[in-house]
Each structure stands twice: as structure tokens, then as C-alpha cells.
Amino acid sequence: MSKKQLAHHRPKWKTHIGFVLATVGSAIGLGNIWRFSYLCYKNGGGAFLFPYLIALFVVGIPLIILEIGLGHKMRGSAPASFASVSKKWEWLGWWQITFVMFGIVLYYSVIIAWCLNYFFFAFDLSWGATPDKFFTETFLISTGSPFQIGNIRTIILFSLAIIWFLNWFIVFKGVQNGLERASKIFMPILFLLTATIILWGLRLEGAMEGVAVYLKPDFSQITNIKVWMDAFSQIFFTLSLGFGIMIAYASYLPKKTQIVRDSLIITGINCLFSLLAGVGVFAVLGYMAHSSSLPISEVVTESIGLAFVAFPKAISLLPAFSNIFGILFFGSLVIAGLSSSISIIEAFTSGIVDKFHYSRKMVVSALCIVGFLGSIIFTTQAGINWLDIVDHFLTQYGLILGAIFECLAIGWFFKVNKLRGHINHYSGWKAPIFWNFCIKVISPLILVAILISSLTEEFSHNYGGYSPVAIILIGRDWLIYTLFAALVIAFHPWRLDPRKRMLVHEHDQKKKY
Ligand code: TRP
């Protein structure tokens, strides 16, 4: 193959809205539905919006502009883009996509599989009168210890196979016919389902008390450092920052793109969705508290507890059409989750294709098979404990470390102003000079502060009460192995030098515009 042919493979979005919906699809995930509302409630209700918005403006928006700008300028996946900055930074791109692909998405897809199981359970409310018992004793049959693996739960394995098949099917079809088309179908359905849940929820008795508890501002919490840490880490996870996804998605954009405006639209839709989904969640919890005569504080939980225990309980209490409500709720979780999981498979595929020029279809297929096999550990009776530990380490340390290095690489080893020039070239709304300062100083400093507080917490007690051996072998080592894999791939030679690959793309683009 000639150099030109080698560089010619890069797919493109068919429409601009397709790109926006795909990135919004990646950003809106399980975290928006079950984590944001709880964080808000726990950290001072409406007052939490203050640290949240600050986190959004000083770290979230600057970093999403950076990632979209970088992918757009370098016309490559995360590894190719960082390698174009400097070969010394290529490992960072690989590490980001490796620990998300071979870490986060492995358990994330198992949670989507649980949601699919619950989607079917909702038809006859199989969880019965005691959803907490049903979840741990009947559904997961959890052993309670990460080292007592027990058996694979076939019911979960089965739905996991369906989820990986869907992941494969969508990404296999390519950027335009797969990801773009799926996002154009998924996102409107998700918005419709969520709107129905919110409107339905708000009409229930006690809903307003729930929403009031969710949003009632309590400014006394604002001085608490933990509140700020929660705000910053939520912004990271929710916007898929440090995942290498935005970089890959932006590399399929045409030259004339309003990067600043698009970044604001994506973050705006994502955060508004979180806020509104929270209204739905608390309306339902308010109803539950009302009908079981309990205070709201007794019924609120986060993440897994919220989706698989509190919500099923509330659904069973509904006066009418409770199974339809359950179907809508778990259906929307499946869609929100799938549209996020496909995005990392695309980002990883794009990395491999950029470097090794293997066939895209082959890479997607191999990746989904390995992904499915890797997820199986989370379908065992110890799955929930593994999930808990791996999630803690990858999101608390992997994402934050990756983002710190990202700021250092671009802010200090690359001319950040040059990237700003590129971003502003076609943008109506310009990134101000303050953006440089955010990337070079503010974001890395805040991220280092978060890292230090997490580490202090880590050493003060064993996370989740697990044994130190479990924490080291399952949590910390997962990060180390993915880093090792990233280094090995990064040292492998390129078929076509990343910079040359970019130049051929640029030349190709210039001819078109
Ligand atoms: N932003 C998603 C959320 O809030 C998480 C997410 C985005 C994700 N992309 C992903 C998780 C890829 C796993 C794999 O839930």
C-alpha cells in the first residue's frame, strides 16, 4: 500500500448532528441517571450546583475543548494524536483507551446486562415484595467476597452476550451506518423515555416533596472538600474525559467545525439531562417515601442500590401500570449505557487501525470477543465485589492520572497556544487566552489536589472494607497491567509515521475545501 492509501481510511460523520448526538450518547450514561441526583442530594441539594458548575467551567469545558481540538487537529485516535504531539507521549493515548476498554467497559457492560435482565423482570415485577433480597440472593447470589468466585450466573451471561452482540453490531457497521445511525435512533428514544418518566413521576403523590429535598440548597456544605471532589470527579466521568473517546470522535469531523460551540452544546445537553433525570428520580423516591410513610433519607441510595433496589421497590408500589414504568426505566438505562459503551469500542478500534492498519471489521470483531470474555468475571457470584473494586480504582485514579498527564502533555510539551489557534480558526465563539491558563495550571493543580485527597483517604482505611490483598491484586494491579500493555503497544513501530499520516490527511482535506 502507498502512504496515501494507508492514510486514506479515516471515516467521516455524515452529518454534524450525527456527531453531536454520538458524543452526547457517549457522555450520557448510567452515571447521569443514577449518580448525579444522589450526589446533589448528598452534597447540599441545589447548592451542589455551585461546585458542579465551577468544575464544569474550569475543568470540564476546557478539557472537552482540548480533546475535541486535539483529535480534530491531528486527525487521529488518542494514541495517534498524542504521538503526533510527541512520540514520547504516545503511551498516554494507549493507556487511556486501554484501561477504559479493558477495565471500565468490562464491568459497565455487565451493569447494562443487569438492566436488560431487569427490563424483562419488569414485565411481571419478578422482584416481588423484597427487591433487596431478590437482587443479592436470587439474582446475583452474591458470595460477598471477591475471592469466593462461585459460579457464573447464566442468566447474566446470557444478557451480557446480547449486549456485546449489540456493541459489536453497531461498531462493526462503521461510523456512519453504525455509530451515527444508532445515536440518531437511541438519543431521541432516550429523551422521550426520560421525559415520560419525569412527567409520570411528577404526577405521583409526594413527588414534590422528593424534588424539594433533591434541590433544596444547603450552603453550609460548600466548604467541605469532599463536596468539591465529588463535583470534579462527576464532571470527568460524565463527560467521558480522559477516555480518549472525544479525541477519536473529533477526528472524523470536517475541517470547518465550530469546536468551541460544539463543546458547549455537548456539555450543556449532558448536564441538563443529569439535572432533569434527577427530578424524575427524586419524584419517584418522594412518592415511595410518601406511600410507605418513611422519611426521604430512608429511601435514598445511589447507583446500584438506586436502580436495582430502591426503584424496583417504588415501581411495585405504583398504583397503576407499574410494569410499564419499570420497562421504561430499565429500557432507558440500557439505551443510555449502550450508547456509552459503543464509544470506547470505537475509540480503541480507531487507535489500532491508525497504528497497525488492520481491517476495521476484524479489529472490532476481535475486540468484542475479548471484551465479552473479559466481562465474564463480573458475571460470577463475586462479580459485584470485583466491579466495586475495579470501578473505584479505574475511575478514582486511572481517569484522574490520565487527565493530569493530558494537561501536562498539551500544556507544557506542546504549544498550547498553537492548539488554541487551530480551535479558534473556524470557531465563531473563540476560546479565550484564559483557556491556556486552565490547561496549563488550573486543571492540573485541581486534579493533583483530588488525587492527593483520594490517596490520603485510601491509606487511612481499606476501600469498602475489602482485604488489602483484594485491593492490591484486583484494583491497583488492573491499572498497572493496562499501563504495561499500553507501553508495549506504544513501543511497537508505526506502519506510517503518525505525523506523515496527519500531513497526508491535511493535504487531502485542503483539496476538498
Ligand atoms: N459518561 C458515561 C456515564 O456518565 C460513562 C461512559 C462514557 C463510559 N463512555 C464510556 C463508560 C465508555 C464505559 C465505557 O455513565
Side-chain angles (χ1 to χ4, degrees), residues 23-35 100-101 103-109 112 234-241 243 245-246 270 274 336-337 339-345:
T23 32
V24 166
S26 170
I28 296 181
L30 304 173
N32 297 57
I33 301 175
W34 73 29
R35 211 169 112 83
V100 182
M101 179 66 221
I104 299 184
V105 84
L106 300 187
Y107 65 79
Y108 200 80
S109 51
I112 311 173
Q234 173 65 4
I235 281 291
F236 251 84
F237 191 70
T238 190
L239 291 176
S240 312
L241 295 173
F243 286 58
I245 294 174
M246 296 297 163
N270 176 66
S274 296
S339 58
S340 297
S341 67
I342 52 176
S343 65
I344 187 61
I345 301 170

mmCIF file of all heavy atoms in Angstrom, residues 23-35 100-101 103-109 112 234-241 243 245-246 270 274 336-337 339-345, ligand 1:
data_model
loop_
_atom_site.group_PDB
_atom_site.id
_atom_site.type_symbol
_atom_site.label_atom_id
_atom_site.label_comp_id
_atom_site.label_asym_id
_atom_site.label_seq_id
_atom_site.Cartn_x
_atom_site.Cartn_y
_atom_site.Cartn_z
ATOM 1 N N THR A 23 -21.603 12.041 20.419
ATOM 2 C CA THR A 23 -20.817 12.448 21.593
ATOM 3 C C THR A 23 -21.729 12.595 22.815
ATOM 4 O O THR A 23 -21.349 12.200 23.926
ATOM 5 C CB THR A 23 -20.099 13.811 21.381
ATOM 6 O OG1 THR A 23 -20.885 14.601 20.547
ATOM 7 C CG2 THR A 23 -18.744 13.649 20.787
ATOM 8 N N VAL A 24 -22.929 13.123 22.582
ATOM 9 C CA VAL A 24 -23.872 13.222 23.705
ATOM 10 C C VAL A 24 -24.214 11.811 24.198
ATOM 11 O O VAL A 24 -24.309 11.557 25.398
ATOM 12 C CB VAL A 24 -25.145 13.995 23.269
ATOM 13 C CG1 VAL A 24 -26.262 13.821 24.267
ATOM 14 C CG2 VAL A 24 -24.831 15.468 23.092
ATOM 15 N N GLY A 25 -24.329 10.881 23.258
ATOM 16 C CA GLY A 25 -24.637 9.493 23.612
ATOM 17 C C GLY A 25 -23.543 8.904 24.484
ATOM 18 O O GLY A 25 -23.802 8.164 25.429
ATOM 19 N N SER A 26 -22.300 9.250 24.160
ATOM 20 C CA SER A 26 -21.194 8.753 24.966
ATOM 21 C C SER A 26 -21.229 9.383 26.362
ATOM 22 O O SER A 26 -21.037 8.716 27.377
ATOM 23 C CB SER A 26 -19.875 9.079 24.270
ATOM 24 O OG SER A 26 -18.813 8.824 25.119
ATOM 25 N N ALA A 27 -21.507 10.676 26.378
ATOM 26 C CA ALA A 27 -21.494 11.388 27.666
ATOM 27 C C ALA A 27 -22.648 10.954 28.567
ATOM 28 O O ALA A 27 -22.459 10.689 29.756
ATOM 29 C CB ALA A 27 -21.543 12.892 27.417
ATOM 30 N N ILE A 28 -23.837 10.873 27.994
ATOM 31 C CA ILE A 28 -24.986 10.492 28.829
ATOM 32 C C ILE A 28 -24.954 8.987 29.026
ATOM 33 O O ILE A 28 -25.020 8.220 28.071
ATOM 34 C CB ILE A 28 -26.315 10.908 28.175
ATOM 35 C CG1 ILE A 28 -26.386 12.432 28.080
ATOM 36 C CG2 ILE A 28 -27.488 10.362 28.981
ATOM 37 C CD1 ILE A 28 -27.671 12.944 27.480
ATOM 38 N N GLY A 29 -24.802 8.589 30.262
ATOM 39 C CA GLY A 29 -24.746 7.149 30.534
ATOM 40 C C GLY A 29 -25.423 6.870 31.858
ATOM 41 O O GLY A 29 -26.185 7.690 32.385
ATOM 42 N N LEU A 30 -25.100 5.715 32.408
ATOM 43 C CA LEU A 30 -25.718 5.337 33.677
ATOM 44 C C LEU A 30 -25.435 6.394 34.737
ATOM 45 O O LEU A 30 -26.272 6.689 35.581
ATOM 46 C CB LEU A 30 -25.150 3.985 34.118
ATOM 47 C CG LEU A 30 -25.308 2.870 33.084
ATOM 48 C CD1 LEU A 30 -24.571 1.620 33.522
ATOM 49 C CD2 LEU A 30 -26.774 2.559 32.870
ATOM 50 N N GLY A 31 -24.240 6.976 34.671
ATOM 51 C CA GLY A 31 -23.828 7.977 35.661
ATOM 52 C C GLY A 31 -24.774 9.159 35.742
ATOM 53 O O GLY A 31 -25.005 9.707 36.827
ATOM 54 N N ASN A 32 -25.329 9.580 34.611
ATOM 55 C CA ASN A 32 -26.226 10.742 34.628
ATOM 56 C C ASN A 32 -27.516 10.411 35.353
ATOM 57 O O ASN A 32 -28.139 11.273 35.969
ATOM 58 C CB ASN A 32 -26.614 11.137 33.205
ATOM 59 C CG ASN A 32 -25.428 11.573 32.406
ATOM 60 O OD1 ASN A 32 -24.474 10.829 32.266
ATOM 61 N ND2 ASN A 32 -25.459 12.777 31.908
ATOM 62 N N ILE A 33 -27.950 9.160 35.231
ATOM 63 C CA ILE A 33 -29.251 8.819 35.790
ATOM 64 C C ILE A 33 -29.127 8.477 37.272
ATOM 65 O O ILE A 33 -29.907 8.928 38.079
ATOM 66 C CB ILE A 33 -29.897 7.669 34.998
ATOM 67 C CG1 ILE A 33 -30.039 8.108 33.531
ATOM 68 C CG2 ILE A 33 -31.235 7.262 35.592
ATOM 69 C CD1 ILE A 33 -30.551 7.052 32.591
ATOM 70 N N TRP A 34 -28.112 7.697 37.612
ATOM 71 C CA TRP A 34 -28.140 7.241 38.996
ATOM 72 C C TRP A 34 -27.089 7.867 39.894
ATOM 73 O O TRP A 34 -27.080 7.629 41.083
ATOM 74 C CB TRP A 34 -28.104 5.733 39.084
ATOM 75 C CG TRP A 34 -26.808 5.052 38.771
ATOM 76 C CD1 TRP A 34 -25.554 5.557 38.946
ATOM 77 C CD2 TRP A 34 -26.654 3.732 38.295
ATOM 78 N NE1 TRP A 34 -24.630 4.625 38.600
ATOM 79 C CE2 TRP A 34 -25.281 3.488 38.190
ATOM 80 C CE3 TRP A 34 -27.555 2.714 37.968
ATOM 81 C CZ2 TRP A 34 -24.784 2.286 37.759
ATOM 82 C CZ3 TRP A 34 -27.042 1.521 37.547
ATOM 83 C CH2 TRP A 34 -25.677 1.307 37.435
ATOM 84 N N ARG A 35 -26.154 8.626 39.369
ATOM 85 C CA ARG A 35 -25.130 9.160 40.259
ATOM 86 C C ARG A 35 -25.327 10.636 40.548
ATOM 87 O O ARG A 35 -25.240 11.082 41.680
ATOM 88 C CB ARG A 35 -23.751 8.934 39.670
ATOM 89 C CG ARG A 35 -22.707 8.742 40.743
ATOM 90 C CD ARG A 35 -21.416 8.264 40.142
ATOM 91 N NE ARG A 35 -20.406 9.308 40.253
ATOM 92 C CZ ARG A 35 -19.685 9.506 41.333
ATOM 93 N NH1 ARG A 35 -19.842 8.760 42.400
ATOM 94 N NH2 ARG A 35 -18.787 10.467 41.373
ATOM 95 N N VAL A 100 -9.872 1.936 29.791
ATOM 96 C CA VAL A 100 -11.325 2.054 29.655
ATOM 97 C C VAL A 100 -11.864 0.815 28.925
ATOM 98 O O VAL A 100 -12.844 0.209 29.351
ATOM 99 C CB VAL A 100 -11.731 3.358 28.929
ATOM 100 C CG1 VAL A 100 -13.243 3.457 28.867
ATOM 101 C CG2 VAL A 100 -11.175 4.573 29.665
ATOM 102 N N MET A 101 -11.151 0.402 27.855
ATOM 103 C CA MET A 101 -11.630 -0.751 27.074
ATOM 104 C C MET A 101 -11.477 -2.057 27.853
ATOM 105 O O MET A 101 -12.359 -2.905 27.839
ATOM 106 C CB MET A 101 -10.821 -0.804 25.765
ATOM 107 C CG MET A 101 -11.175 -1.941 24.859
ATOM 108 S SD MET A 101 -12.833 -1.812 24.206
ATOM 109 C CE MET A 101 -13.386 -3.492 24.307
ATOM 110 N N GLY A 103 -11.067 -2.358 31.121
ATOM 111 C CA GLY A 103 -11.350 -2.163 32.530
ATOM 112 C C GLY A 103 -12.795 -1.689 32.653
ATOM 113 O O GLY A 103 -13.720 -2.493 32.761
ATOM 114 N N ILE A 104 -12.975 -0.381 32.508
ATOM 115 C CA ILE A 104 -14.296 0.199 32.765
ATOM 116 C C ILE A 104 -15.400 -0.486 31.944
ATOM 117 O O ILE A 104 -16.418 -0.895 32.486
ATOM 118 C CB ILE A 104 -14.277 1.716 32.496
ATOM 119 C CG1 ILE A 104 -13.271 2.395 33.444
ATOM 120 C CG2 ILE A 104 -15.668 2.318 32.699
ATOM 121 C CD1 ILE A 104 -13.218 3.903 33.365
ATOM 122 N N VAL A 105 -15.166 -0.654 30.637
ATOM 123 C CA VAL A 105 -16.291 -1.152 29.834
ATOM 124 C C VAL A 105 -16.612 -2.616 30.147
ATOM 125 O O VAL A 105 -17.736 -3.065 29.944
ATOM 126 C CB VAL A 105 -16.037 -0.915 28.325
ATOM 127 C CG1 VAL A 105 -15.204 -2.002 27.715
ATOM 128 C CG2 VAL A 105 -17.350 -0.776 27.589
ATOM 129 N N LEU A 106 -15.650 -3.356 30.698
ATOM 130 C CA LEU A 106 -15.925 -4.765 31.002
ATOM 131 C C LEU A 106 -17.007 -4.879 32.080
ATOM 132 O O LEU A 106 -17.906 -5.702 31.987
ATOM 133 C CB LEU A 106 -14.653 -5.488 31.454
ATOM 134 C CG LEU A 106 -13.491 -5.522 30.455
ATOM 135 C CD1 LEU A 106 -12.385 -6.412 30.973
ATOM 136 C CD2 LEU A 106 -13.942 -5.995 29.087
ATOM 137 N N TYR A 107 -16.898 -4.027 33.117
ATOM 138 C CA TYR A 107 -17.960 -4.134 34.135
ATOM 139 C C TYR A 107 -19.166 -3.286 33.786
ATOM 140 O O TYR A 107 -20.294 -3.606 34.131
ATOM 141 C CB TYR A 107 -17.435 -3.808 35.549
ATOM 142 C CG TYR A 107 -16.979 -2.390 35.773
ATOM 143 C CD1 TYR A 107 -17.882 -1.373 35.997
ATOM 144 C CD2 TYR A 107 -15.636 -2.063 35.782
ATOM 145 C CE1 TYR A 107 -17.466 -0.075 36.209
ATOM 146 C CE2 TYR A 107 -15.204 -0.769 35.990
ATOM 147 C CZ TYR A 107 -16.127 0.232 36.193
ATOM 148 O OH TYR A 107 -15.723 1.519 36.394
ATOM 149 N N TYR A 108 -18.930 -2.195 33.050
ATOM 150 C CA TYR A 108 -20.044 -1.330 32.640
ATOM 151 C C TYR A 108 -21.035 -2.149 31.798
ATOM 152 O O TYR A 108 -22.244 -2.035 31.960
ATOM 153 C CB TYR A 108 -19.457 -0.173 31.826
ATOM 154 C CG TYR A 108 -20.316 1.073 31.687
ATOM 155 C CD1 TYR A 108 -20.386 2.016 32.709
ATOM 156 C CD2 TYR A 108 -21.006 1.334 30.506
ATOM 157 C CE1 TYR A 108 -21.125 3.173 32.559
ATOM 158 C CE2 TYR A 108 -21.745 2.487 30.349
ATOM 159 C CZ TYR A 108 -21.805 3.402 31.375
ATOM 160 O OH TYR A 108 -22.535 4.558 31.225
ATOM 161 N N SER A 109 -20.492 -3.035 30.926
ATOM 162 C CA SER A 109 -21.398 -3.813 30.083
ATOM 163 C C SER A 109 -22.152 -4.857 30.914
ATOM 164 O O SER A 109 -23.279 -5.225 30.567
ATOM 165 C CB SER A 109 -20.657 -4.463 28.921
ATOM 166 O OG SER A 109 -19.551 -5.137 29.408
ATOM 167 N N ILE A 112 -25.054 -3.021 32.276
ATOM 168 C CA ILE A 112 -26.099 -2.877 31.244
ATOM 169 C C ILE A 112 -26.843 -4.216 31.107
ATOM 170 O O ILE A 112 -28.062 -4.252 30.928
ATOM 171 C CB ILE A 112 -25.508 -2.460 29.872
ATOM 172 C CG1 ILE A 112 -24.553 -1.274 30.013
ATOM 173 C CG2 ILE A 112 -26.621 -2.098 28.894
ATOM 174 C CD1 ILE A 112 -23.819 -0.920 28.730
ATOM 175 N N GLN A 234 -17.283 13.789 39.174
ATOM 176 C CA GLN A 234 -18.503 13.530 38.398
ATOM 177 C C GLN A 234 -18.409 14.182 37.020
ATOM 178 O O GLN A 234 -18.773 13.580 36.018
ATOM 179 C CB GLN A 234 -19.743 14.031 39.161
ATOM 180 C CG GLN A 234 -21.047 13.972 38.379
ATOM 181 C CD GLN A 234 -21.491 12.547 38.032
ATOM 182 O OE1 GLN A 234 -20.854 11.575 38.433
ATOM 183 N NE2 GLN A 234 -22.542 12.415 37.260
ATOM 184 N N ILE A 235 -17.890 15.394 36.951
ATOM 185 C CA ILE A 235 -17.761 16.085 35.659
ATOM 186 C C ILE A 235 -16.896 15.265 34.707
ATOM 187 O O ILE A 235 -17.204 15.094 33.529
ATOM 188 C CB ILE A 235 -17.155 17.504 35.857
ATOM 189 C CG1 ILE A 235 -18.222 18.476 36.342
ATOM 190 C CG2 ILE A 235 -16.501 18.043 34.590
ATOM 191 C CD1 ILE A 235 -19.284 18.819 35.322
ATOM 192 N N PHE A 236 -15.839 14.681 35.251
ATOM 193 C CA PHE A 236 -14.948 13.871 34.446
ATOM 194 C C PHE A 236 -15.605 12.674 33.849
ATOM 195 O O PHE A 236 -15.548 12.398 32.665
ATOM 196 C CB PHE A 236 -13.843 13.347 35.357
ATOM 197 C CG PHE A 236 -12.633 14.011 35.037
ATOM 198 C CD1 PHE A 236 -12.368 15.235 35.582
ATOM 199 C CD2 PHE A 236 -11.798 13.477 34.098
ATOM 200 C CE1 PHE A 236 -11.259 15.900 35.234
ATOM 201 C CE2 PHE A 236 -10.691 14.148 33.744
ATOM 202 C CZ PHE A 236 -10.406 15.351 34.302
ATOM 203 N N PHE A 237 -16.239 11.905 34.746
ATOM 204 C CA PHE A 237 -16.832 10.642 34.312
ATOM 205 C C PHE A 237 -17.973 10.915 33.338
ATOM 206 O O PHE A 237 -18.100 10.273 32.310
ATOM 207 C CB PHE A 237 -17.336 9.870 35.527
ATOM 208 C CG PHE A 237 -17.713 8.457 35.192
ATOM 209 C CD1 PHE A 237 -16.738 7.534 34.865
ATOM 210 C CD2 PHE A 237 -19.034 8.055 35.194
ATOM 211 C CE1 PHE A 237 -17.073 6.229 34.544
ATOM 212 C CE2 PHE A 237 -19.387 6.752 34.879
ATOM 213 C CZ PHE A 237 -18.400 5.830 34.557
ATOM 214 N N THR A 238 -18.784 11.912 33.668
ATOM 215 C CA THR A 238 -19.974 12.138 32.859
ATOM 216 C C THR A 238 -19.616 12.650 31.466
ATOM 217 O O THR A 238 -20.274 12.330 30.492
ATOM 218 C CB THR A 238 -20.974 13.056 33.583
ATOM 219 O OG1 THR A 238 -22.187 13.048 32.870
ATOM 220 C CG2 THR A 238 -20.497 14.472 33.710
ATOM 221 N N LEU A 239 -18.563 13.453 31.351
ATOM 222 C CA LEU A 239 -18.234 13.975 30.020
ATOM 223 C C LEU A 239 -17.288 13.051 29.252
ATOM 224 O O LEU A 239 -16.781 13.418 28.205
ATOM 225 C CB LEU A 239 -17.623 15.371 30.139
ATOM 226 C CG LEU A 239 -18.583 16.477 30.607
ATOM 227 C CD1 LEU A 239 -17.836 17.791 30.770
ATOM 228 C CD2 LEU A 239 -19.724 16.672 29.625
ATOM 229 N N SER A 240 -17.056 11.864 29.760
ATOM 230 C CA SER A 240 -16.125 10.898 29.134
ATOM 231 C C SER A 240 -14.765 11.532 28.899
ATOM 232 O O SER A 240 -14.148 11.338 27.857
ATOM 233 C CB SER A 240 -16.624 10.380 27.777
ATOM 234 O OG SER A 240 -17.927 9.978 27.801
ATOM 235 N N LEU A 241 -14.274 12.343 29.844
ATOM 236 C CA LEU A 241 -12.971 12.987 29.650
ATOM 237 C C LEU A 241 -11.868 12.066 30.135
ATOM 238 O O LEU A 241 -12.029 11.379 31.136
ATOM 239 C CB LEU A 241 -12.911 14.312 30.417
ATOM 240 C CG LEU A 241 -13.887 15.350 29.910
ATOM 241 C CD1 LEU A 241 -13.907 16.561 30.817
ATOM 242 C CD2 LEU A 241 -13.549 15.761 28.492
ATOM 243 N N PHE A 243 -10.931 9.542 28.472
ATOM 244 C CA PHE A 243 -11.239 8.208 27.940
ATOM 245 C C PHE A 243 -10.656 8.053 26.531
ATOM 246 O O PHE A 243 -10.698 6.977 25.969
ATOM 247 C CB PHE A 243 -12.752 8.009 27.783
ATOM 248 C CG PHE A 243 -13.545 7.795 29.055
ATOM 249 C CD1 PHE A 243 -13.537 8.726 30.073
ATOM 250 C CD2 PHE A 243 -14.347 6.668 29.197
ATOM 251 C CE1 PHE A 243 -14.321 8.529 31.209
ATOM 252 C CE2 PHE A 243 -15.117 6.466 30.337
ATOM 253 C CZ PHE A 243 -15.103 7.397 31.337
ATOM 254 N N ILE A 245 -12.092 9.123 24.024
ATOM 255 C CA ILE A 245 -13.238 8.974 23.123
ATOM 256 C C ILE A 245 -13.475 10.242 22.307
ATOM 257 O O ILE A 245 -13.644 10.206 21.088
ATOM 258 C CB ILE A 245 -14.501 8.625 23.934
ATOM 259 C CG1 ILE A 245 -14.346 7.242 24.559
ATOM 260 C CG2 ILE A 245 -15.742 8.707 23.067
ATOM 261 C CD1 ILE A 245 -15.456 6.837 25.484
ATOM 262 N N MET A 246 -13.464 11.375 23.010
ATOM 263 C CA MET A 246 -13.745 12.635 22.314
ATOM 264 C C MET A 246 -12.698 12.884 21.223
ATOM 265 O O MET A 246 -12.992 13.426 20.174
ATOM 266 C CB MET A 246 -13.749 13.807 23.302
ATOM 267 C CG MET A 246 -14.841 13.722 24.326
ATOM 268 S SD MET A 246 -16.457 13.806 23.533
ATOM 269 C CE MET A 246 -17.504 13.177 24.815
ATOM 270 N N ASN A 270 -25.663 17.417 28.137
ATOM 271 C CA ASN A 270 -25.345 16.382 29.122
ATOM 272 C C ASN A 270 -25.745 16.821 30.537
ATOM 273 O O ASN A 270 -26.375 16.071 31.281
ATOM 274 C CB ASN A 270 -23.852 16.061 29.055
ATOM 275 C CG ASN A 270 -23.444 15.084 30.109
ATOM 276 O OD1 ASN A 270 -23.857 13.947 30.099
ATOM 277 N ND2 ASN A 270 -22.660 15.538 31.062
ATOM 278 N N SER A 274 -28.719 15.445 33.139
ATOM 279 C CA SER A 274 -28.495 14.961 34.510
ATOM 280 C C SER A 274 -29.469 15.617 35.479
ATOM 281 O O SER A 274 -30.085 14.961 36.316
ATOM 282 C CB SER A 274 -27.095 15.326 34.995
ATOM 283 O OG SER A 274 -26.137 14.691 34.239
ATOM 284 N N ALA A 336 -29.042 4.237 27.483
ATOM 285 C CA ALA A 336 -28.013 5.189 27.925
ATOM 286 C C ALA A 336 -26.661 4.478 28.042
ATOM 287 O O ALA A 336 -25.620 5.021 27.662
ATOM 288 C CB ALA A 336 -28.411 5.802 29.270
ATOM 289 N N GLY A 337 -26.679 3.252 28.552
ATOM 290 C CA GLY A 337 -25.437 2.511 28.743
ATOM 291 C C GLY A 337 -24.806 2.091 27.415
ATOM 292 O O GLY A 337 -23.616 2.291 27.190
ATOM 293 N N SER A 339 -25.116 3.376 24.439
ATOM 294 C CA SER A 339 -24.577 4.460 23.620
ATOM 295 C C SER A 339 -23.251 4.956 24.195
ATOM 296 O O SER A 339 -22.481 5.609 23.495
ATOM 297 C CB SER A 339 -25.586 5.597 23.472
ATOM 298 O OG SER A 339 -25.930 6.077 24.727
ATOM 299 N N SER A 340 -22.974 4.659 25.464
ATOM 300 C CA SER A 340 -21.652 4.980 26.015
ATOM 301 C C SER A 340 -20.659 3.872 25.697
ATOM 302 O O SER A 340 -19.522 4.143 25.324
ATOM 303 C CB SER A 340 -21.717 5.160 27.531
ATOM 304 O OG SER A 340 -22.548 6.240 27.859
ATOM 305 N N SER A 341 -21.092 2.608 25.855
ATOM 306 C CA SER A 341 -20.110 1.525 25.673
ATOM 307 C C SER A 341 -19.613 1.442 24.237
ATOM 308 O O SER A 341 -18.438 1.175 23.999
ATOM 309 C CB SER A 341 -20.656 0.191 26.174
ATOM 310 O OG SER A 341 -21.717 -0.229 25.383
ATOM 311 N N ILE A 342 -20.484 1.720 23.264
ATOM 312 C CA ILE A 342 -20.003 1.646 21.875
ATOM 313 C C ILE A 342 -18.905 2.677 21.622
ATOM 314 O O ILE A 342 -18.026 2.461 20.801
ATOM 315 C CB ILE A 342 -21.128 1.812 20.821
ATOM 316 C CG1 ILE A 342 -21.948 3.073 21.095
ATOM 317 C CG2 ILE A 342 -22.004 0.594 20.748
ATOM 318 C CD1 ILE A 342 -23.009 3.352 20.030
ATOM 319 N N SER A 343 -18.945 3.779 22.359
ATOM 320 C CA SER A 343 -17.989 4.846 22.052
ATOM 321 C C SER A 343 -16.554 4.448 22.380
ATOM 322 O O SER A 343 -15.630 4.845 21.694
ATOM 323 C CB SER A 343 -18.376 6.137 22.763
ATOM 324 O OG SER A 343 -18.282 6.009 24.147
ATOM 325 N N ILE A 344 -16.357 3.620 23.408
ATOM 326 C CA ILE A 344 -14.973 3.248 23.714
ATOM 327 C C ILE A 344 -14.502 2.159 22.749
ATOM 328 O O ILE A 344 -13.324 2.100 22.384
ATOM 329 C CB ILE A 344 -14.780 2.816 25.191
ATOM 330 C CG1 ILE A 344 -13.303 2.602 25.491
ATOM 331 C CG2 ILE A 344 -15.553 1.582 25.541
ATOM 332 C CD1 ILE A 344 -12.432 3.789 25.311
ATOM 333 N N ILE A 345 -15.426 1.318 22.296
ATOM 334 C CA ILE A 345 -15.013 0.292 21.330
ATOM 335 C C ILE A 345 -14.544 0.980 20.047
ATOM 336 O O ILE A 345 -13.537 0.625 19.452
ATOM 337 C CB ILE A 345 -16.170 -0.689 21.071
ATOM 338 C CG1 ILE A 345 -16.550 -1.336 22.405
ATOM 339 C CG2 ILE A 345 -15.781 -1.747 20.048
ATOM 340 C CD1 ILE A 345 -17.799 -2.129 22.372
HETATM 341 N N1 TRP B 1 -20.314 9.161 30.599
HETATM 342 C C1 TRP B 1 -20.805 7.874 30.946
HETATM 343 C C2 TRP B 1 -21.654 7.956 32.206
HETATM 344 O O1 TRP B 1 -21.880 9.003 32.742
HETATM 345 C C3 TRP B 1 -19.700 6.908 31.178
HETATM 346 C C4 TRP B 1 -19.004 6.479 29.947
HETATM 347 C C5 TRP B 1 -18.776 7.212 28.830
HETATM 348 C C6 TRP B 1 -18.458 5.198 29.702
HETATM 349 N N2 TRP B 1 -18.137 6.468 27.904
HETATM 350 C C7 TRP B 1 -17.923 5.246 28.399
HETATM 351 C C8 TRP B 1 -18.351 4.056 30.451
HETATM 352 C C9 TRP B 1 -17.315 4.144 27.855
HETATM 353 C C10 TRP B 1 -17.742 2.952 29.891
HETATM 354 C C11 TRP B 1 -17.233 2.998 28.605
HETATM 355 O O2 TRP B 1 -22.132 6.950 32.666
#
